């Protein structure tokens, strides 16, 4: 076979796969988002223009879903950065079994979302859950309490994804040259001053990348929230989307909502990337 | 007033004795240079003074206060790193302001101090640049500037110009000397370049294998090396050394290079001085610097005949290689004095600048003729 043939042999299946399963649905659903199509009926799709978008953007319930999602993203990502970066700081020194310890700490991230959801459902259980037992909270209903449920989901997410932030932070921290810390000590900088003036600015770009990834993921969270709780207060935007598409069968409307979500994620990511480039310039 | 004193300091890296019982006093405003090969312990000693390395035993006093158990921050010394260790994300101004801001100096004072020091170092125009946009010489000036802004008790410099090219190194050497004269801070400077050491130091400290070999003024270390290591490390080109035998000859002394048929005539006083230090027939090594070797193109009384082997023309002078017995020696001559390789030459030595070492111990016999 010629080089060209081998190249095509490797590339074409990927391209075909990408077109069939990603590009085609993406464009097709864009088309649907301008119709009143319902996948549950045989009725033909009618073009309705921007009606779906207009309805969605003026629906106070959708905005409530977005608010819940925003709250979830902020709590979850902030928690992951604090825990992940903190653990990375602790690990960034000479300690015995560092490699093993790091690998063990990465375990939560390697589990399936559904499994993590089921684990935490048991951990939170008001009757036999180990969390209430450990904290001495009696029969506190973590997942049934409308105020607490969203935070409970965020905690599970923090547990699962802090290792990701930790891993990237660790890479960033170990890339800070040791002689800069020596120079800072010579310059009589305190530990806190060194952290804010040397460590943090130098790790910022890679930390930023971790934050971008985690924000995008948290914005799209579905599995954890779906498995753990079914409160109105935990209905993040993906759950609303899922219900709209596959329980209410408003296919056209849900395509429009999916596009709104997509545009929002892109917008947030863009803001981050702009900031990342600014940080990197230094 | 800052005197730095080391009392019997020791340090091991595993089984390696990197600082071996070093004692030394650096006087206030003195410029002392630690000179030695890489791995001799000079940088480790400097870092120990700064507090960047711990020591196993001994005492380090800065301004009379023992500091060996205190942290870097408390020692109040400035350190210029070989790789400069500038903060890459901060501008030149912020780099130089860092030591002041770290101890919460008022803003106005930071501003004036940094600008004053930047003017002294002629980097006033670079204050808004980042280190990545600077040349090697400017990076070095910023690193020194960061050390100067805080009026430290002492300046410690670890091969600060080692990574610059030869021409720039020469310029910066002069600048460092000028700065030291102006600022007058106690300075310890580490280098492996003996020319740098000679040019800068009030006193040179020669180190080898963790042990202080010799401490003294540059001209003293150059003229009177205490052992073969110092003799061969200090000076360029290196001192000639050759195994020799000593004999009495016609009312004088004769020093014969191993394998040679003819010896150099020396005054008879040599025999008495050697005898005073031990048996005269023990293995001895002659050390003589190229400029103390005289070549003539005609036979001279007491001169050893040989022929020129390699000639290195260095512009201001030539270095001529020749063989006597088993040894290859070098002489410094006027430029073009020996017309070419293979030309017969006659060699005499300047007795007053010849050294004899005990071959077994490497120590000088302290001969003065």
């Amino acid at each position: 076979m010629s080089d060209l043939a081998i190249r095509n042999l490797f590339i074409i299946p990927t391209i075909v796969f990408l077109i069939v399963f990603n590009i085609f649905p993406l464009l097709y659903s864009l088309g649907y988002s301008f119709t009143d199509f319902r996948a549950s009926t045989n009725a033909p799709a009618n073009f309705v223009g921007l009606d779906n978008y207009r309805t969605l953007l003026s629906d106070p319930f959708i905005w409530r879903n977005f608010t819940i999602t925003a709250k979830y993203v902020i709590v979850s990502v902030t928690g992951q950065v604090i825990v992940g970066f903190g653990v990375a700081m602790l690990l960034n020194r000479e300690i015995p079994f560092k490699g093993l310890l790091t690998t063990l700490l990465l375990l939560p991230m390697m589990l399936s979302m559904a499994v993590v959801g089921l684990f935490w459902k048991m951990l939170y259980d008001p009757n036999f859950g180990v969390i209430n037992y450990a904290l001495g909270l009696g029969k506190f209903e973590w997942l049934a309490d409308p105020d607490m449920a969203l935070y409970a989901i965020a905690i599970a997410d923090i547990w699962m994804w802090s290792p990701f932030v930790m891993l990237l932070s660790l890479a960033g921290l170990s890339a800070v040259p040791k002689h800069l810390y020596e120079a800072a000590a010579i310059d009589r900088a305190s530990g806190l001053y060194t952290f804010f003036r040397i460590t943090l600015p130098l790790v910022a770009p890679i930390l930023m990348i971790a934050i971008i990834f985690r924000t995008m993921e948290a914005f799209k969270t579905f599995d954890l929230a779906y498995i753990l709780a079914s409160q109105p207060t935990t209905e993040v935007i993906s759950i609303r989307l899922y219900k709209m598409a596959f329980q209410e069968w408003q296919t056209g409307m849900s395509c429009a909502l999916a596009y709104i979500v997509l545009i929002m994620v892109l917008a947030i990511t863009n803001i981050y990337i702009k900031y990342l480039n600014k940080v990197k310039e230094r | 007033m800052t005197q730095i004193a080391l009392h019997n300091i020791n340090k091991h890296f595993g089984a390696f004795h990197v600082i071996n019982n070093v004692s030394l006093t650096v006087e206030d405003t003195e410029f002392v240079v630690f000179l030695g090969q890489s791995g001799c312990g000079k940088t480790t000693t400097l870092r120990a003074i700064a507090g960047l390395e711990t020591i196993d035993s001994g005492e380090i006093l800065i301004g009379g206060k023992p500091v060996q158990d205190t942290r870097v921050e408390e020692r109040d010394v400035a350190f210029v790193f070989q790789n400069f260790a500038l903060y890459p994300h901060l501008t030149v101004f912020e780099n130089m302001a860092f030591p002041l801001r770290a101890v919460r100096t008022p803003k106005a004072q930071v501003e004036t101090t940094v600008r004053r020091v930047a003017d002294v170092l002629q980097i006033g125009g670079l204050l808004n640049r980042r280190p990545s946009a600077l040349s090697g010489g400017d990076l070095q000036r910023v690193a020194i500037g960061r050390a100067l802004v805080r009026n430290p008790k002492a300046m410690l410099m670890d091969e600060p110009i080692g990574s610059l090219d030869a021409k720039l190194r020469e310029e910066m050497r002069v600048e460092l000397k000028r700065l030291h004269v102006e600022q007058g801070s106690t300075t310890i400077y580490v280098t492996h370049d003996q020319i740098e050491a000679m040019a800068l130091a009030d006193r040179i400290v020669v180190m080898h294998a963790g042990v202080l070999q010799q401490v003294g003024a540059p001209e003293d270390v150059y003229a009177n090396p205490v052992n073969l290591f110092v003799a061969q490390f200090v000076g360029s080109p290196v001192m000639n050394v050759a195994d020799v035998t000593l004999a009495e000859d016609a009312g004088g002394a004769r020093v014969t290079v191993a394998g040679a048929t003819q010896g150099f005539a020396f005054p008879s006083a040599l025999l008495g001085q050697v005898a005073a230090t031990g048996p005269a027939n023990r293995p001895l090594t002659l050390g003589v610097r190229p400029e103390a070797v005289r070549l003539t193109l005609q036979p001279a009384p007491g001169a050893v005949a040989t022929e020129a082997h390699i000639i290195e023309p260095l512009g201001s002078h030539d270095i001529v290689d020749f063989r006597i017995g088993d040894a290859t020696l070098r002489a410094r001559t006027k430029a073009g004095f020996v017309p070419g390789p293979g030309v017969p030459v006659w060699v005499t030595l300047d007795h007053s600048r010849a050294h004899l070492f005990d071959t077994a111990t490497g120590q000088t016999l302290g001969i003065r003729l």
Side-chain angles (χ1 to χ4, degrees), chain A residues 179-180 182-189 193 197-198 201-202 281-282, chain B residues 47 73 76-77 79 81 83 85-87 89 94 98-99 101 146 150:
Chain A
H179 58 246
L180 293 186
E182 288 185 344
I186 288 282
D187 289 344
R188 292 178 296 173
Y193 192 81
R197 288 287 281 173
I198 309 288
L202 288 175
E281 259 173 38
R282 297 194 298 212
Chain B
R47 289 170 58 88
E73 295 87 325
D76 193 15
V77 292
F79 197 103
F81 294 83
N83 57 13
L86 296 177
Y87 307 120
H89 57 297
E94 286 302 324
F98 193 94
R101 296 209 206 275
R146 186 172 65 179
R150 38 183 279 219

Side-chain angles (χ1 to χ4, degrees), chain B residues 16 18 32 71 81 111 127 168 174 218-219 229 254 322 335:
Chain B
F16 182 48
V18 62
V32 166
R71 285 147 46 92
F81 294 83
E111 188 81 16
L127 289 176
L168 196 53
V174 177
E219 49 281 10
F229 175 80
R254 183 154 297 279
F322 53 88

Side-chain angles (χ1 to χ4, degrees), chain B residues 271-301:
Chain B
L271 295 169
Q273 288 197 23
V274 172
T277 64
N281 59 354
R282 68 190 193 276
L284 295 175
T285 301
L286 172 74
V288 59
R289 293 201 184 277
E291 65 264 32
V293 177
R294 287 197 199 117
L295 296 187
T296 50
L297 298 173
Q298 269 84 44

Side-chain angles (χ1 to χ4, degrees), chain B residues 62-63 116 138 144 157 184 226 229 276 278 327 347 349:
Chain B
I62 297 179
R116 179 176 54 76
D138 288 335
I144 291 175
M157 303 194 192
V226 296
F229 175 80
V347 185
L349 304 180

Side-chain angles (χ1 to χ4, degrees), chain B residues 88-165:
Chain B
H89 57 297
L90 300 178
T91 60
V92 167
F93 182 93
E94 286 302 324
N95 263 284
M96 288 172 66
F98 193 94
L100 300 175
R101 296 209 206 275
V103 294
R104 295 180 192 192
T105 312
K107 234 181 177 160
Q109 198 187 329
V110 170
E111 188 81 16
T112 52
T113 312
V114 170
R115 292 202 185 275
R116 179 176 54 76
V117 172
D119 285 343
V120 171
L121 291 165
Q122 293 154 9
I123 47 173
L126 307 175
L127 289 176
N128 292 321
R129 302 247 198 113
R130 286 188 202 287
S132 54
L134 298 185
S135 66
D138 288 335
L139 286 174
Q140 202 259 354
R141 289 191 181 91
V142 177
I144 291 175
R146 186 172 65 179
L148 286 179
V149 288
R150 38 183 279 219
N151 269 325
K153 284 192 183 146
M155 286 277 271
L156 308 178
M157 303 194 192
D158 181 13
E159 308 210 16
I161 58 181
S163 53
L164 306 182
D165 62 63

